[in-house]
Amino acid sequence: MSAAGKESKRVLMVGLLCQDILNLVDHYPTEDEDVRCVNQFWQKGGNAANSACVLSSLGETTEYLGTVSSRAEGSSALKELQTFGVLTEHVVYSDCPIPTSCVIINTQTGSRTIIHGTRNMAELTAEDFSSLDLTRYRWIHFEGRNTVEVCKMMEIVEDFNKKVLFVSKEYAESCGFASAKETVKKLLQRVKKGCTVLCAWGDQGADGITPEGTHYHCQAFPPEKVVDTLGAGDTFNAAVIWGLCRGTGLEGALTMGCRIAGQKCGQFGYKNLHS
Ligand code: ADP
């Protein structure tokens, strides 16, 4: 509690903070080609950290939780997160190089090709998580990594975890599903009762289904020119959470997710996204 005795409940995003090294190219290189990029920059990355920035930009009191490199490059990524207003007081430091992703962005199409390096960074544990005061949070989102520990964390907050499930296109395809609609309809049969299921599908937009089986589709909102789709899914998740926290209902939250993710695809990075 603050000195005033009131603190708005936070959204907590649990997962990765990493360094992204973006290489912007005017065509996708062929193997063994020696190319010069048209631009190169560093920005913080990681699904949870990206979504935290978007939520904070939308005005939500947002905290990020994960393991963070205590080395110089780690504190620079953490500072970048903080410039978005994201709270970080519970992060766990580790003396390890920061996980790094090298990204090729083809400026003709906005496609992002990613090579991840975890660099042996320790994962957050359920024990780290258990020290939080859960009454401070209105929503807790877990990035699906280190599943053994994440499952233990979800058990700690079972009331939160069974309400909404975000499924990625990659996971859906690995299950043999061919569309977002098929994914949400089939997965609803498999998840716990009372769960809403959502799935984003790139430029096809996204679908969602309520626990009662009402299905919604929202088309993508293509920007004038797609320049950077890195983190489109993170942006979608954040905007959906934002909508659901405000009582928009599933249909409104899907529209919010696709609209803001579309804005993001038309620009580099996550600044100035707005509802
Ligand atoms: P990621 O690959 O980052 O997980 P997705 O491809 O699942 O992200 O896209 C998430 C959301 O971003 C989509 O539901 C859509 O609203 C938006 N989106 C992604 N690609 C495009 C695009 N080319 N044009 C417009 N919107 C897009």
Side-chain angles (χ1 to χ4, degrees):
M1 289 251 173
S2 68
K6 275 203 181 114
E7 184 193 57
S8 63
K9 287 220 180 192
R10 303 174 178 191
V11 171
L12 177 67
M13 306 301 287
V14 183
L16 185 68
L17 170 66
C18 70
Q19 185 67 58
D20 283 350
I21 300 176
L22 279 68
N23 295 284
L24 276 49
V25 290
D26 56 15
H27 70 280
Y28 193 81
T30 53
E31 185 167 355
D32 210 29
E33 192 181 352
D34 183 347
V35 289
R36 188 174 281 194
C37 58
V38 292
N39 208 344
Q40 186 178 62
F41 49 94
W42 288 35
Q43 67 184 21
K44 66 95 200 75
N47 298 132
N50 287 340
S51 295
C53 289
V54 175
L55 272 160
S56 185
S57 301
L58 291 172
E60 194 68 52
T61 308
T62 308
E63 179 180 338
Y64 162 78
L65 177 66
T67 44
V68 174
S69 165
S70 55
R71 300 189 186 176
E73 76 263 27
S75 57
S76 124
L78 189 64
K79 275 199 196 109
E80 193 182 331
L81 194 59
Q82 290 161 344
T83 62
F84 281 84
V86 175
L87 303 164
T88 59
E89 74 260 39
H90 298 112
V91 298
V92 177
Y93 291 96
S94 173
D95 178 21
C96 187
I98 187 167
T100 300
S101 291
C102 294
V103 184
I104 298 172
I105 294 187
N106 181 350
T107 54
Q108 294 303 308
T109 61
S111 77
R112 84 295 184 261
T113 304
I114 311 172
I115 302 171
H116 297 292
T118 64
R119 306 174 83 191
N120 292 325
M121 171 60 82
E123 295 282 355
L124 191 78
T125 65
E127 194 186 338
D128 298 327
F129 182 82
S130 67
S131 63
L132 296 179
D133 171 5
L134 295 182
T135 61
R136 298 174 81 174
Y137 304 100
R138 66 195 302 194
W139 188 294
I140 303 181
H141 179 84
F142 293 99
E143 188 182 326
R145 46 189 302 112
N146 185 23
T147 43
V148 173
E149 289 299 306
V150 167
C151 284
K152 288 189 208 158
M153 295 181 215
M154 283 181 163
E155 276 167 25
I156 298 174
V157 281
E158 204 184 346
D159 277 354
F160 290 86
N161 94 313
K162 63 183 174 193
K163 299 271 166 60
V164 176
L165 175 67
F166 290 94
V167 185
S168 70
K169 182 179 172 203
E170 285 77 9
Y171 176 76
E173 285 176 332
S174 77
C175 295
F177 303 140
S179 67
K181 183 177 179 182
E182 181 186 357
T183 305
V184 297
K185 288 200 159 182
K186 294 212 169 131
L187 283 183
L188 185 69
Q189 313 304 318
R190 300 193 198 163
V191 295
K192 282 184 187 165
K193 225 170 154 242
C195 188
T196 296
V197 184
L198 293 107
C199 180
W201 208 272
D203 60 6
Q204 304 294 299
D207 288 52
I209 196 159
T210 65
E212 296 75 34
T214 308
H215 165 260
Y216 296 104
H217 169 74
C218 181
Q219 83 287 5
F221 288 70
E224 233 161 77
K225 180 168 167 28
V226 174
V227 295
D228 172 17
T229 57
L230 178 67
D234 301 336
T235 304
F236 172 83
N237 290 355
V240 167
I241 292 172
W242 189 79
L244 292 176
C245 282
R246 270 161 191 72
T248 58
L250 179 57
E251 190 176 19
L254 268 178
T255 307
M256 183 66 72
C258 287
R259 201 143 54 78
I260 295 175
Q263 269 175 44
K264 191 266 144 309
C265 292
Q267 66 172 54
F268 296 104
Y270 307 93
K271 295 221 168 99
N272 304 318
L273 296 171
H274 54 84
S275 57

